[in-house]
Amino acid sequence: TMGAPHSSLSVLHQRITLSGASPSTLFVIGRPWRVIAPVHTLRELEGGTIHWDSPWRHPVRYDVYSDPSLPVDSEAPPLRLPSTGLERVRTLADKIAGRGPALAQARNIEAFLQKNYRYSTDFGDRIPDNPIDYFLFERRQGSCGHFASAMAIMLRLRGIRCRVVAGYFQGEWNDQIGRASCRERV
């Protein structure tokens, strides 16, 4: 237990399974107040990330009860933004996010991206100076990395702390090739 929720209305229960390699970081939305995990100790690092030091077996499953209305660490320095021009992206984020709590703003941005942009693995021939601006205002299609990066940039521009986390699902073992096969799900 790491504290108490801000209010009973903002409690979020997350059940998370990490399969494969991990940097020993617990992933959670908002400020965690209770963690149930098969590890002996947890420690909070500067910036609010929570880690464990003990070895673990794959996969690791844990439950987190958190308060999504509270920032992870309000005293931590803000996460940096790219040095490229973000004026159009900021204007778009301000228009679509709304004025509600962070979770509601994130859902508004997610819904906008899902409705107005198309998933594609065709990157075209152009290498833009500002890939997020190009994705949002010209190409309007891209891979999962484009969607995740655009959302993270828009959330940060709104003052909502976030990070892009990437990885692969463990996959299925294929005896014929002697390897695990990972399939992209769209």
Side-chain angles (χ1 to χ4, degrees), residues 85-96 112-113 116-117 126 130-141 150 153-154 157:
L86 296 171
E87 296 78 21
R88 291 198 309 174
V89 179
R90 182 185 304 277
T91 300
L92 178 62
D94 290 346
K95 179 180 175 183
I96 63 175
F112 179 84
L113 290 171
N116 294 288
Y117 298 86
R126 182 174 166 204
N130 185 331
I132 301 302
D133 195 86
Y134 181 64
F135 166 70
L136 289 171
F137 300 105
E138 295 178 45
R139 186 118 171 112
R140 303 186 67 82
Q141 65 179 357
I153 294 294
M154 287 194 278
L157 287 167

Side-chain angles (χ1 to χ4, degrees), residues 61-134:
R61 291 179 182 88
Y62 60 94
D63 287 84
V64 178
Y65 295 86
S66 64
D67 188 338
S69 66
L70 293 177
V72 172
D73 184 355
S74 58
E75 300 300 317
L79 296 173
R80 290 179 289 179
L81 288 163
S83 59
T84 58
L86 296 171
E87 296 78 21
R88 291 198 309 174
V89 179
R90 182 185 304 277
T91 300
L92 178 62
D94 290 346
K95 179 180 175 183
I96 63 175
R99 298 277 179 225
L103 185 58
Q105 290 183 52
R107 286 183 174 151
N108 290 342
I109 293 170
E110 176 188 30
F112 179 84
L113 290 171
Q114 287 176 341
K115 181 180 177 188
N116 294 288
Y117 298 86
R118 189 172 69 82
Y119 178 85
S120 173
T121 56
D122 174 13
F123 298 109
D125 296 328
R126 182 174 166 204
I127 300 174
D129 291 332
N130 185 331
I132 301 302
D133 195 86
Y134 181 64

Side-chain angles (χ1 to χ4, degrees), residues 13-29:
H13 175 220
Q14 302 157 75
R15 178 163 288 149
I16 299 171
T17 302
L18 294 176
S19 57
S22 167
S24 301
T25 303
L26 272 101
F27 297 95
V28 59
I29 296 172

